PDB file of all heavy atoms in Angstrom:
ATOM      1  N   MET L 238      48.260 -43.478  21.374  1.00 49.00           N
ATOM      2  CA  MET L 238      48.115 -44.944  21.625  1.00 49.00           C
ATOM      3  C   MET L 238      46.704 -45.282  22.140  1.00 49.00           C
ATOM      4  O   MET L 238      46.086 -46.277  21.800  1.00 49.00           O
ATOM      5  CB  MET L 238      49.107 -45.440  22.636  1.00 49.00           C
ATOM      6  CG  MET L 238      50.422 -45.806  21.928  1.00 49.00           C
ATOM      7  SD  MET L 238      50.289 -46.841  20.408  1.00 49.00           S
ATOM      8  CE  MET L 238      50.315 -48.488  21.060  1.00 49.00           C
ATOM      9  N   LYS L 239      46.174 -44.398  22.979  1.00 62.00           N
ATOM     10  CA  LYS L 239      44.794 -44.633  23.506  1.00 62.00           C
ATOM     11  C   LYS L 239      43.822 -44.634  22.363  1.00 62.00           C
ATOM     12  O   LYS L 239      42.810 -45.378  22.352  1.00 62.00           O
ATOM     13  CB  LYS L 239      44.390 -43.622  24.556  1.00 62.00           C
ATOM     14  CG  LYS L 239      44.842 -44.134  25.954  1.00 62.00           C
ATOM     15  CD  LYS L 239      44.743 -42.964  26.954  1.00 62.00           C
ATOM     16  CE  LYS L 239      43.367 -42.697  27.466  1.00 62.00           C
ATOM     17  NZ  LYS L 239      43.256 -41.632  28.400  1.00 62.00           N
ATOM     18  N   LYS L 240      43.980 -43.714  21.415  1.00 65.00           N
ATOM     19  CA  LYS L 240      43.101 -43.571  20.303  1.00 65.00           C
ATOM     20  C   LYS L 240      43.204 -44.765  19.373  1.00 65.00           C
ATOM     21  O   LYS L 240      42.254 -45.316  18.846  1.00 65.00           O
ATOM     22  CB  LYS L 240      43.383 -42.308  19.405  1.00 65.00           C
ATOM     23  CG  LYS L 240      43.188 -41.020  20.169  1.00 65.00           C
ATOM     24  CD  LYS L 240      41.703 -40.853  20.571  1.00 65.00           C
ATOM     25  CE  LYS L 240      41.442 -39.876  21.732  1.00 65.00           C
ATOM     26  NZ  LYS L 240      42.156 -38.622  21.603  1.00 65.00           N
ATOM     27  N   ALA L 241      44.389 -45.278  19.271  1.00 64.00           N
ATOM     28  CA  ALA L 241      44.655 -46.524  18.435  1.00 64.00           C
ATOM     29  C   ALA L 241      43.948 -47.711  19.076  1.00 64.00           C
ATOM     30  O   ALA L 241      43.275 -48.508  18.421  1.00 64.00           O
ATOM     31  CB  ALA L 241      46.145 -46.775  18.338  1.00 64.00           C
ATOM     32  N   SER L 242      43.987 -47.740  20.412  1.00 66.00           N
ATOM     33  CA  SER L 242      43.306 -48.820  21.146  1.00 66.00           C
ATOM     34  C   SER L 242      41.789 -48.739  20.930  1.00 66.00           C
ATOM     35  O   SER L 242      41.081 -49.751  20.766  1.00 66.00           O
ATOM     36  CB  SER L 242      43.598 -48.758  22.674  1.00 66.00           C
ATOM     37  OG  SER L 242      44.976 -48.853  22.883  1.00 66.00           O
ATOM     38  N   LEU L 243      41.312 -47.526  20.969  1.00 65.00           N
ATOM     39  CA  LEU L 243      39.866 -47.241  20.721  1.00 65.00           C
ATOM     40  C   LEU L 243      39.514 -47.756  19.364  1.00 65.00           C
ATOM     41  O   LEU L 243      38.535 -48.447  19.176  1.00 65.00           O
ATOM     42  CB  LEU L 243      39.577 -45.738  20.893  1.00 65.00           C
ATOM     43  CG  LEU L 243      38.099 -45.399  20.748  1.00 65.00           C
ATOM     44  CD1 LEU L 243      37.343 -45.901  21.979  1.00 65.00           C
ATOM     45  CD2 LEU L 243      37.970 -43.897  20.556  1.00 65.00           C
ATOM     46  N   SER L 244      40.377 -47.439  18.379  1.00 65.00           N
ATOM     47  CA  SER L 244      40.069 -47.875  16.962  1.00 65.00           C
ATOM     48  C   SER L 244      40.083 -49.434  16.893  1.00 65.00           C
ATOM     49  O   SER L 244      39.204 -49.980  16.204  1.00 65.00           O
ATOM     50  CB  SER L 244      41.168 -47.377  16.061  1.00 65.00           C
ATOM     51  OG  SER L 244      41.003 -45.942  15.964  1.00 65.00           O
ATOM     52  N   LEU L 245      41.011 -50.065  17.592  1.00 65.00           N
ATOM     53  CA  LEU L 245      40.996 -51.507  17.588  1.00 65.00           C
ATOM     54  C   LEU L 245      39.789 -52.099  18.165  1.00 65.00           C
ATOM     55  O   LEU L 245      39.210 -53.018  17.681  1.00 65.00           O
ATOM     56  CB  LEU L 245      42.315 -52.000  18.314  1.00 65.00           C
ATOM     57  CG  LEU L 245      43.543 -52.061  17.437  1.00 65.00           C
ATOM     58  CD1 LEU L 245      44.760 -52.280  18.269  1.00 65.00           C
ATOM     59  CD2 LEU L 245      43.420 -53.149  16.396  1.00 65.00           C
ATOM     60  N   LEU L 246      39.447 -51.499  19.378  1.00 63.00           N
ATOM     61  CA  LEU L 246      38.189 -51.997  20.002  1.00 63.00           C
ATOM     62  C   LEU L 246      37.013 -51.814  19.092  1.00 63.00           C
ATOM     63  O   LEU L 246      36.180 -52.762  18.918  1.00 63.00           O
ATOM     64  CB  LEU L 246      37.948 -51.155  21.302  1.00 63.00           C
ATOM     65  CG  LEU L 246      36.678 -51.513  22.083  1.00 63.00           C
ATOM     66  CD1 LEU L 246      36.808 -52.934  22.709  1.00 63.00           C
ATOM     67  CD2 LEU L 246      36.443 -50.487  23.211  1.00 63.00           C
ATOM     68  N   LEU L 247      36.960 -50.667  18.454  1.00 62.00           N
ATOM     69  CA  LEU L 247      35.877 -50.418  17.493  1.00 62.00           C
ATOM     70  C   LEU L 247      35.898 -51.419  16.364  1.00 62.00           C
ATOM     71  O   LEU L 247      34.844 -51.891  15.898  1.00 62.00           O
ATOM     72  CB  LEU L 247      35.968 -48.970  16.947  1.00 62.00           C
ATOM     73  CG  LEU L 247      34.864 -48.539  16.048  1.00 62.00           C
ATOM     74  CD1 LEU L 247      33.603 -48.358  16.841  1.00 62.00           C
ATOM     75  CD2 LEU L 247      35.253 -47.213  15.376  1.00 62.00           C
ATOM     76  N   GLY L 248      37.120 -51.741  15.895  1.00 61.00           N
ATOM     77  CA  GLY L 248      37.229 -52.766  14.868  1.00 61.00           C
ATOM     78  C   GLY L 248      36.705 -54.071  15.234  1.00 61.00           C
ATOM     79  O   GLY L 248      35.923 -54.689  14.475  1.00 61.00           O
ATOM     80  N   PHE L 249      36.961 -54.515  16.452  1.00 58.00           N
ATOM     81  CA  PHE L 249      36.429 -55.814  16.883  1.00 58.00           C
ATOM     82  C   PHE L 249      34.929 -55.797  17.010  1.00 58.00           C
ATOM     83  O   PHE L 249      34.235 -56.714  16.628  1.00 58.00           O
ATOM     84  CB  PHE L 249      37.078 -56.178  18.214  1.00 58.00           C
ATOM     85  CG  PHE L 249      38.481 -56.696  18.004  1.00 58.00           C
ATOM     86  CD1 PHE L 249      39.551 -56.064  18.628  1.00 58.00           C
ATOM     87  CD2 PHE L 249      38.715 -57.843  17.239  1.00 58.00           C
ATOM     88  CE1 PHE L 249      40.832 -56.552  18.431  1.00 58.00           C
ATOM     89  CE2 PHE L 249      40.108 -58.307  17.070  1.00 58.00           C
ATOM     90  CZ  PHE L 249      41.153 -57.671  17.664  1.00 58.00           C
ATOM     91  N   ILE L 250      34.413 -54.605  17.507  1.00 54.00           N
ATOM     92  CA  ILE L 250      32.946 -54.509  17.564  1.00 54.00           C
ATOM     93  C   ILE L 250      32.339 -54.587  16.189  1.00 54.00           C
ATOM     94  O   ILE L 250      31.320 -55.304  15.983  1.00 54.00           O
ATOM     95  CB  ILE L 250      32.530 -53.138  18.279  1.00 54.00           C
ATOM     96  CG1 ILE L 250      32.949 -53.182  19.683  1.00 54.00           C
ATOM     97  CG2 ILE L 250      31.078 -52.834  18.113  1.00 54.00           C
ATOM     98  CD1 ILE L 250      32.915 -51.866  20.430  1.00 54.00           C
ATOM     99  N   LEU L 251      32.952 -53.912  15.203  1.00 57.00           N
ATOM    100  CA  LEU L 251      32.458 -53.895  13.860  1.00 57.00           C
ATOM    101  C   LEU L 251      32.502 -55.307  13.301  1.00 57.00           C
ATOM    102  O   LEU L 251      31.537 -55.747  12.664  1.00 57.00           O
ATOM    103  CB  LEU L 251      33.391 -53.002  12.932  1.00 57.00           C
ATOM    104  CG  LEU L 251      33.076 -51.533  13.021  1.00 57.00           C
ATOM    105  CD1 LEU L 251      34.114 -50.830  12.236  1.00 57.00           C
ATOM    106  CD2 LEU L 251      31.699 -51.313  12.441  1.00 57.00           C
ATOM    107  N   ILE L 252      33.656 -56.048  13.493  1.00 58.00           N
ATOM    108  CA  ILE L 252      33.693 -57.367  12.981  1.00 58.00           C
ATOM    109  C   ILE L 252      32.682 -58.220  13.497  1.00 58.00           C
ATOM    110  O   ILE L 252      31.979 -58.930  12.831  1.00 58.00           O
ATOM    111  CB  ILE L 252      35.141 -57.930  13.184  1.00 58.00           C
ATOM    112  CG1 ILE L 252      36.146 -57.379  12.213  1.00 58.00           C
ATOM    113  CG2 ILE L 252      35.132 -59.492  13.109  1.00 58.00           C
ATOM    114  CD1 ILE L 252      37.497 -57.756  12.437  1.00 58.00           C
TER     115      ILE L 252
END
Side-chain angles (χ1 to χ4, degrees):
Chain L
M238 273 315 270
K239 271 167 79 182
K240 296 298 159 47
S242 303
L243 184 71
S244 291
L245 274 169
L246 179 66
L247 185 69
F249 285 117
I250 291 167
L251 279 174
I252 284 178

